[in-house]
PDB file of all heavy atoms in Angstrom:
ATOM      1  N   PRO A 425      39.224 -84.475   9.974  1.00 98.00           N
ATOM      2  CA  PRO A 425      40.411 -84.345   9.092  1.00 98.00           C
ATOM      3  C   PRO A 425      40.137 -82.968   8.186  1.00 98.00           C
ATOM      4  O   PRO A 425      38.989 -82.593   7.957  1.00 98.00           O
ATOM      5  CB  PRO A 425      40.301 -85.511   8.220  1.00 98.00           C
ATOM      6  CG  PRO A 425      38.928 -86.067   8.274  1.00 98.00           C
ATOM      7  CD  PRO A 425      38.368 -85.571   9.604  1.00 98.00           C
ATOM      8  N   HIS A 426      41.264 -82.256   7.995  1.00 98.00           N
ATOM      9  CA  HIS A 426      41.139 -81.072   7.160  1.00 98.00           C
ATOM     10  C   HIS A 426      42.241 -81.089   6.100  1.00 98.00           C
ATOM     11  O   HIS A 426      43.433 -81.178   6.370  1.00 98.00           O
ATOM     12  CB  HIS A 426      41.377 -79.802   8.035  1.00 98.00           C
ATOM     13  CG  HIS A 426      40.315 -79.612   9.041  1.00 98.00           C
ATOM     14  ND1 HIS A 426      39.029 -79.410   8.879  1.00 98.00           N
ATOM     15  CD2 HIS A 426      40.449 -79.754  10.458  1.00 98.00           C
ATOM     16  CE1 HIS A 426      38.289 -79.467   9.996  1.00 98.00           C
ATOM     17  NE2 HIS A 426      39.219 -79.729  11.029  1.00 98.00           N
ATOM     18  N   PRO A 427      41.845 -81.023   4.823  1.00 98.00           N
ATOM     19  CA  PRO A 427      42.843 -80.884   3.715  1.00 98.00           C
ATOM     20  C   PRO A 427      43.072 -79.377   3.532  1.00 98.00           C
ATOM     21  O   PRO A 427      42.246 -78.752   2.991  1.00 98.00           O
ATOM     22  CB  PRO A 427      42.218 -81.477   2.586  1.00 98.00           C
ATOM     23  CG  PRO A 427      40.672 -81.503   2.808  1.00 98.00           C
ATOM     24  CD  PRO A 427      40.445 -81.328   4.280  1.00 98.00           C
ATOM     25  N   CYS A 478      40.814 -74.759   4.245  1.00 98.00           N
ATOM     26  CA  CYS A 478      40.348 -76.114   4.177  1.00 98.00           C
ATOM     27  C   CYS A 478      39.626 -76.283   2.904  1.00 98.00           C
ATOM     28  O   CYS A 478      38.783 -75.579   2.566  1.00 98.00           O
ATOM     29  CB  CYS A 478      39.552 -76.478   5.337  1.00 98.00           C
ATOM     30  SG  CYS A 478      39.099 -78.234   5.319  1.00 98.00           S
ATOM     31  N   ILE A 480      37.594 -78.807   2.366  1.00 98.00           N
ATOM     32  CA  ILE A 480      36.190 -79.242   2.591  1.00 98.00           C
ATOM     33  C   ILE A 480      35.426 -78.054   2.506  1.00 98.00           C
ATOM     34  O   ILE A 480      35.544 -77.138   3.479  1.00 98.00           O
ATOM     35  CB  ILE A 480      36.171 -80.059   3.839  1.00 98.00           C
ATOM     36  CG1 ILE A 480      36.877 -81.403   3.744  1.00 98.00           C
ATOM     37  CG2 ILE A 480      34.757 -80.273   4.307  1.00 98.00           C
ATOM     38  CD1 ILE A 480      36.957 -82.257   5.082  1.00 98.00           C
ATOM     39  N   HIS A 483      33.649 -76.465   5.375  1.00 98.00           N
ATOM     40  CA  HIS A 483      34.499 -75.872   6.430  1.00 98.00           C
ATOM     41  C   HIS A 483      35.044 -74.531   6.025  1.00 98.00           C
ATOM     42  O   HIS A 483      35.081 -73.630   6.869  1.00 98.00           O
ATOM     43  CB  HIS A 483      35.658 -76.814   6.772  1.00 98.00           C
ATOM     44  CG  HIS A 483      35.324 -78.149   7.376  1.00 98.00           C
ATOM     45  ND1 HIS A 483      36.213 -79.107   7.522  1.00 98.00           N
ATOM     46  CD2 HIS A 483      34.099 -78.672   7.667  1.00 98.00           C
ATOM     47  CE1 HIS A 483      35.578 -80.245   8.045  1.00 98.00           C
ATOM     48  NE2 HIS A 483      34.195 -79.992   8.215  1.00 98.00           N
ATOM     49  N   MET A 488      37.092 -71.806   8.201  1.00 97.00           N
ATOM     50  CA  MET A 488      38.348 -72.208   8.113  1.00 97.00           C
ATOM     51  C   MET A 488      39.083 -71.699   6.773  1.00 97.00           C
ATOM     52  O   MET A 488      39.355 -72.481   5.910  1.00 97.00           O
ATOM     53  CB  MET A 488      38.426 -73.750   8.157  1.00 97.00           C
ATOM     54  CG  MET A 488      39.717 -74.315   8.531  1.00 97.00           C
ATOM     55  SD  MET A 488      39.775 -76.031   8.875  1.00 97.00           S
ATOM     56  CE  MET A 488      39.299 -76.048  10.545  1.00 97.00           C
TER      57      MET A 488
HETATM   58 CU1   CU B 509      38.183 -78.783   7.077  1.00 81.50          CU
END
Side-chain angles (χ1 to χ4, degrees):
H426 301 290
C478 180
I480 289 178
H483 293 174
M488 199 171 278

